[in-house]
Amino acid sequence: MSTTRVKNRFGVSPEDIEEKQRAAKRTRRLIQDHVLDDAVTADESSHVSKSIVRDEFAWGQYLNEGIHGIGTYGTAAALQILSLGEDDRYLPSELADDRDEILHRGRTWLDRQWCDPASHTQQRFDEAVVYRCVAFCLGISPDESGAKRTNSSG
Amino acid sequence: MIDLVEAIDEKCQGKDNRRVLVEASICLIALARFDRLDQRMENAGPWVAEMDSIDVEIKSRIDKLVSIIQEILGEQEDETFYIDRFYIRLYSTPEPDHRYRYYPFLIGPIVALALLEAGKSRPDARYVEQNLSFVHQTIDTYVEEISDENPYISEQRGPASIGDHTWIAECLQCYAEYPVNEIKQSAVIRGKVSRKVQKKMVLFTFFVIVLIGATVLSQVTSGWTTTIWSAASALLGATIAEMGLPHPLKAD
């Protein structure tokens, strides 16, 4: 039996909003799938990541050596996308393991770039403050990476 | 951060609206996330005594940024800019050869994300509900654009294209987590109405209320007058009858 929805004159009801929320979550997962697929493929080939569009380097420069080296911003962006809704267990366990591995390696890499005096980022830090800060804020949020590293090490 | 908010407020007049929206949104996201972090840590340190002043300061900054964003959204006749993007040139990129590069900020997702983050940080009807049509428009656009068959193809080519996807994914996730019970039905209606229309509706409502009030008042006044006149007439009649005189209002 279908229920009658109470809608206002613009045709938006709380039920509509709930549907939109489900659609939003579904679409977010699609984006994550694309990023994950790209990252896994890149890891296997140890080469520039494959393209989901015609542009050969469209999703490159994260976790893999591209023509410009490993990109801080690209890595941070990919990690940010993959870490959304981590509690949402929608992935098969195999892919979930891949995702966790990619997240761990990416965060470790970003962490080293931030702390290691020998890292490329540290050596050029003064020249790239804004760019680096934005990237690190995206890639490592204080309530995620720190807590997880502490938990895993503890 | 606080200086930056004031700078945005001072300089927003005459500036490119897209730039103001992006800068205000970035600040708003940072403040709202810091605010939530701050709330979680309020019992964690010796600086608890300072919390009240920090709290008020953050709230006023969030209010200011939301009002800046809301003003631009309300005045914008052409709403297609929500699929537009604003490019920030990476002057600070270390390699000189890379300085021609730009980083894209998708305006719709980043503004919607900022409003949603502010709403999650401090539930206030102004933050999300009044701009709900904009948020919905943005969500609908990207939900339709991205499907199993059609992965979203960013106009931005090269490694930076993942930036577009970051803002979209963040915005979708934040919307999916937004407490739906806090979006009241009345606010849903209000969110679909532009500020200009809202002003007209307020004036119209005021006029209707005044009209109804005047009508009711006249009816009440008229009723009271009739009642008072009847009572006075009856009292006069009774008094006259008591005195044995002829009633002045009755013919023989």
Side-chain angles (χ1 to χ4, degrees):
Chain A
M1 190 177 72
S2 64
T3 55
T4 306
R5 291 181 175 185
V6 180
K7 291 186 177 183
N8 58 53
R9 64 196 177 93
F10 299 102
V12 182
S13 69
E15 290 84 359
D16 288 328
I17 293 174
E18 283 175 6
E19 264 182 28
K20 284 175 190 289
Q21 286 185 310
R22 282 193 290 273
K25 191 180 275 188
R26 196 168 53 243
T27 309
R28 182 263 294 166
R29 288 172 179 172
L30 283 174
I31 294 174
Q32 287 179 308
D33 286 344
H34 294 315
V35 174
L36 186 59
D37 184 41
D38 205 43
V40 171
T41 310
D43 187 47
E44 286 169 354
S45 64
S46 296
H47 197 253
V48 176
S49 62
K50 76 169 188 181
S51 165
I52 63 162
V53 289
R54 286 185 295 278
D55 189 333
E56 187 181 359
F57 301 113
W59 286 58
Q61 274 201 295
Y62 65 91
L63 295 175
N64 55 299
E65 199 74 28
I67 52 174
H68 303 299
I70 296 177
T72 307
Y73 210 115
T75 302
L79 294 186
Q80 183 70 1
I81 292 173
L82 290 178
S83 62
L84 290 172
E86 274 186 272
D87 298 333
D88 176 16
R89 297 294 175 198
Y90 78 98
L91 282 173
S93 59
E94 188 182 323
L95 283 178
D97 289 346
D98 281 343
R99 181 185 65 174
D100 291 346
E101 173 66 18
I102 288 166
L103 284 173
H104 174 72
R105 283 175 43 208
R107 284 170 176 155
T108 305
W109 185 83
L110 281 177
D111 206 25
R112 193 175 64 78
Q113 290 295 308
W114 184 260
C115 302
D116 187 353
S119 76
H120 181 264
T121 298
Q122 274 289 319
Q123 288 173 1
R124 303 298 189 99
F125 190 77
D126 291 343
E127 296 176 55
V129 174
V130 175
Y131 170 62
R132 301 296 185 191
C133 281
V134 171
F136 280 98
C137 286
L138 280 175
I140 303 179
S141 55
D143 55 333
E144 284 185 356
S145 58
K148 286 190 181 192
R149 274 200 300 274
T150 306
N151 291 341
S152 60
S153 62
Chain B
M1 175 61 78
I2 287 166
D3 290 343
L4 194 54
V5 173
E6 283 169 358
I8 288 171
D9 188 28
E10 286 170 10
K11 292 179 183 174
C12 68
Q13 297 298 328
K15 272 173 75 175
D16 179 0
N17 277 346
R18 296 175 310 158
R19 179 177 185 148
V20 177
L21 281 173
V22 166
E23 289 178 352
S25 298
I26 293 280
C27 282
L28 187 53
I29 291 167
L31 268 182
R33 288 181 175 174
F34 174 77
D35 194 28
R36 281 207 298 282
L37 182 70
D38 221 27
Q39 287 168 11
R40 284 202 300 273
M41 294 172 69
E42 64 182 354
N43 297 320
W47 37 279
V48 174
E50 299 173 11
M51 282 302 297
D52 286 346
S53 59
I54 292 172
D55 199 53
V56 170
E57 206 158 308
I58 290 176
K59 186 181 186 312
S60 72
R61 301 300 167 192
I62 288 177
D63 283 348
K64 172 65 76 181
L65 288 168
V66 171
S67 69
I68 290 171
I69 291 173
Q70 204 162 311
E71 192 171 342
I72 296 174
L73 293 182
E75 290 173 355
Q76 205 73 23
E77 298 292 335
D78 176 17
E79 293 184 350
T80 56
F81 73 103
Y82 69 94
I83 54 169
D84 204 355
R85 49 177 71 65
F86 177 74
Y87 295 92
I88 291 180
R89 193 170 182 179
L90 301 177
Y91 288 108
S92 57
T93 302
E95 302 295 336
D97 291 347
H98 298 169
R99 285 182 185 162
Y100 63 90
R101 291 185 180 175
Y102 295 81
Y103 191 79
F105 289 86
L106 267 179
I107 294 172
I110 200 169
V111 173
L113 174 65
L115 293 169
L116 289 163
E117 289 279 9
K120 280 169 73 177
S121 170
R122 292 177 182 272
D124 187 322
R126 288 170 300 164
Y127 296 162
V128 176
E129 284 86 349
Q130 286 185 1
N131 301 292
L132 204 59
S133 66
F134 177 80
V135 173
H136 279 161
Q137 220 164 357
T138 305
I139 297 293
D140 288 347
T141 299
Y142 291 99
V143 164
E144 285 171 19
E145 189 78 27
I146 302 169
S147 66
D148 288 319
E149 295 79 24
N150 296 312
Y152 174 68
I153 298 175
S154 169
E155 285 177 19
Q156 175 69 30
R157 292 291 186 264
S161 70
I162 200 169
D164 278 353
H165 295 79
T166 309
W167 295 121
I168 297 168
E170 280 258 22
C171 176
L172 292 170
Q173 175 68 15
C174 198
Y175 181 81
E177 288 176 346
Y178 197 83
V180 70
N181 294 335
E182 290 180 14
I183 302 176
K184 295 173 183 152
Q185 187 71 3
S186 58
V188 174
I189 297 171
R190 199 167 58 239
K192 281 284 182 184
V193 183
S194 71
R195 295 186 73 190
K196 285 177 185 172
V197 177
Q198 276 182 38
K199 284 178 186 171
K200 286 180 185 173
M201 284 178 68
V202 168
L203 281 175
F204 178 73
T205 309
F206 178 72
F207 176 73
V208 168
I209 289 171
V210 168
L211 193 65
I212 291 171
T215 308
V216 170
L217 191 64
S218 69
Q219 288 293 322
V220 169
T221 310
S222 168
W224 282 357
T225 307
T226 308
T227 308
I228 290 167
W229 176 249
S230 302
S233 175
L235 184 66
L236 183 64
T239 308
I240 289 171
E242 187 75 22
M243 293 170 69
L245 296 172
H247 198 294
L249 300 176
K250 284 184 182 173
D252 288 337

